[in-house]
Amino acid sequence: EAQGDEKKLKYPMSVFFIVGNEFCERFSYYGMKAILSLYLHHKLHFDEHSSTAIYHAFSMMCYFTPIFGALLADMFLGKFKTIVYISIIYVLGHLMKTLAAVPTLGIPPVEFSLIGLALIAAGTGGIKPCVSAFGGDQFKLPEQSRQLQTFFSVFYFSINAGSLLSTFLTPIIREDVECFGDDTCYSLAFGIPAILMLVATIIIIIGKSLYIVK
């Protein structure tokens, strides 16, 4: 019986999808944010004060929208559906931000960029209260309390790893790659975080059959 209980309480493999999702999402968010103020000033031609105001308004929205993500998850959709649906909005925001940085498309860069930022703020804030809690749902307590502690350690390591790598790499990509006749490449620097957010969404969906959904 003890062996049977031990088998039932094996470390849930589903959490690796959640950790992978978080790493990619944090990479996408901080990668985009690392070059945002430069893009607003040098490419969208906002003055320094306006660029700073937009940057901090965006940051404020990212920390305000978790309220709505939590309400949506607790009252209507549950954590998993909230993560998936809002992640799609998140990807759309990154896509608009990336397309706005491609000069040959002829789309209005300011409008697309600001709408994209609003969608990204809704996306990152909307899933923020759900992902770590959804990971915690995969463990049976109190029997797996030690394993749960391990999960949160790995989970927060993935947050910091994704943030560190993207904050370091994205400015290098922006500065060292040339595209569209310019000596910098914002479209690629925004496009890689967009791809990572798409990967994050795919990862969380792939693990669906393994999750404990409460």
Side-chain angles (χ1 to χ4, degrees):
E1 185 178 351
Q3 289 181 347
D5 289 342
E6 188 175 339
K7 287 182 180 179
K8 289 179 184 177
L9 299 180
K10 286 196 308 183
Y11 202 91
M13 298 301 294
S14 56
V15 300
F16 293 105
F17 292 96
I18 297 169
V19 169
N21 165 271
E22 187 67 13
F23 172 84
C24 292
E25 187 274 325
R26 290 290 84 186
F27 189 108
S28 77
Y29 174 75
Y30 281 102
M32 181 278 302
K33 195 176 181 184
I35 59 171
L36 177 58
S37 59
L38 291 173
Y39 177 72
L40 292 170
H41 183 55
H42 294 294
K43 293 300 178 182
L44 298 187
H45 306 297
F46 287 103
D47 60 43
E48 289 188 12
H49 295 294
S50 298
S51 298
T52 302
I54 293 170
Y55 180 89
H56 288 293
F58 168 72
S59 298
M60 181 272 294
M61 286 180 62
C62 291
Y63 287 98
F64 180 71
T65 51
I67 297 172
F68 301 102
L71 290 173
L72 189 63
D74 289 344
M75 299 177 65
F76 300 103
L77 296 178
K79 299 182 190 74
F80 175 71
K81 288 184 178 179
T82 299
I83 293 169
V84 172
Y85 294 159
I86 293 184
S87 290
I88 293 171
I89 295 173
Y90 201 163
V91 172
L92 181 60
H94 271 298
L95 179 62
M96 293 185 70
K97 195 82 191 61
T98 302
L99 294 177
V102 180
T104 56
L105 294 180
I107 59 176
V110 174
E111 291 81 354
F112 262 57
S113 293
L114 294 181
I115 294 171
L117 285 176
L119 294 177
I120 291 170
T124 188
I127 67 174
K128 190 182 293 291
C130 302
V131 180
S132 59
F134 185 57
D137 287 345
Q138 309 309 305
F139 296 86
K140 182 179 179 182
L141 296 177
E143 295 88 342
Q144 291 184 297
S145 58
R146 183 180 294 273
Q147 294 176 341
L148 179 61
Q149 292 174 7
T150 303
F151 161 71
F152 281 121
S153 296
V154 174
F155 182 81
Y156 285 105
F157 174 80
S158 73
I159 292 175
N160 292 314
S163 306
L164 176 64
L165 286 174
S166 63
T167 302
F168 176 73
L169 291 176
T170 308
I172 294 175
I173 294 168
R174 177 201 70 85
E175 186 173 1
D176 290 357
V177 178
E178 298 179 4
C179 61
F180 303 110
D182 199 351
D183 58 355
T184 57
C185 194
Y186 282 93
S187 54
L188 180 62
F190 285 136
I192 291 175
I195 292 170
L196 265 291
M197 189 57 222
L198 178 61
V199 171
T201 306
I202 293 171
I203 287 173
I204 203 75
I205 293 172
I206 287 175
K208 181 180 179 182
S209 62
L210 300 175
Y211 299 136
I212 297 172
V213 178
K214 296 182 180 179

